[in-house]
Amino acid sequence: TNVGFMANRYLSKNNNNILRLPSILTAFPRAKVIIPFRHPLTHSGSLLNQHSRFCEQQEKDKFIEDYMAWLGHHEFGRTHKPFYFGSVPMIESDFPTESLNYWLKNWNDTYDFLLNTVGDESIFFCYESLCADPTNSLRQLCDAINVDIAKLPGVSININEQTIDSRMIDQTLARQSRIIYDGLRERSINGFNIELDF
């Protein structure tokens, strides 16, 4: 991959970074923190699918479980541990990890924490808006991180439609996620008005 025009930049994509943002920004005060987000129900469905895949793989191959634990990645699988946000308690849920409601509560806790703790140096970026208008969304993102969009390689966006049975959703969690999602869109650089069902 030709990354010559980006040689003075370093990109780190790591879920655990949300727990390290103050340290990262202290060490790299000019860093741009991009926080992508998706519709909470479809995102929760994706998280559940990922968790199920990891559990299946780790059941078949113990090395995968050990390796992820050695790396400190406990987001999914048999060694799953929810993030601890300091003053925000760890997830104490009546929902099993095999349920969509567990992952929706996880989504709510994570994005509520981010909405209430990160400053203006962080850039919220809406997946649904990216799918609806990729050209403008990418231009807004490039402007925000000082990258010339003309120098980017071609970008392909795969829209993954997911159907969620609303009868499976705890309505209290759904109401909370709607409030959080609206707050994320208000702060996002590309969160223009699109109608989404809850």
Side-chain angles (χ1 to χ4, degrees), residues 73-197:
H73 279 290
H74 300 285
E75 297 99 308
F76 306 107
R78 290 155 51 106
T79 63
H80 168 68
K81 298 176 187 174
F83 285 152
Y84 176 59
F85 298 116
S87 61
V88 178
M90 294 179 74
I91 295 174
E92 296 175 2
S93 173
D94 294 332
F95 305 113
T97 56
E98 298 79 19
S99 76
L100 186 65
N101 285 314
Y102 176 89
W103 295 97
L104 182 58
K105 184 170 190 325
N106 194 328
W107 188 98
N108 286 356
D109 290 347
T110 301
Y111 282 103
D112 185 57
F113 168 78
L114 289 168
L115 262 182
N116 289 295
T117 57
V118 302
D120 293 337
E121 73 286 335
S122 297
I123 300 161
F124 288 98
F125 191 70
C126 179
Y127 171 79
E128 286 74 31
S129 294
L130 173 65
C131 293
D133 190 351
T135 301
N136 282 332
S137 287
L138 288 175
R139 183 175 294 111
Q140 289 164 327
L141 180 60
C142 286
D143 288 347
I145 61 174
N146 302 317
V147 169
D148 183 353
I149 193 171
K151 293 184 178 179
L152 286 181
V155 177
S156 174
I157 297 172
N158 296 319
I159 300 174
N160 184 7
E161 296 289 343
Q162 192 173 17
T163 303
I164 302 292
D165 185 349
S166 60
R167 293 171 300 178
M168 298 169 54
I169 305 299
D170 180 270
Q171 291 308 300
T172 300
L173 290 177
R175 284 191 294 274
Q176 291 168 346
S177 67
R178 180 62 196 238
I179 292 167
I180 295 166
Y181 184 70
D182 287 345
L184 290 166
R185 289 177 61 197
E186 284 176 20
R187 284 189 60 183
S188 73
I189 59 171
N190 69 327
F192 51 81
N193 189 31
I194 50 178
E195 289 300 318
L196 295 169
D197 293 331

Side-chain angles (χ1 to χ4, degrees), residues 14-29:
N14 186 325
N15 293 333
N16 290 320
N17 280 345
I18 64 173
L19 301 175
R20 309 178 183 122
L21 289 180
S23 299
I24 290 171
L25 291 169
T26 298
F28 305 100

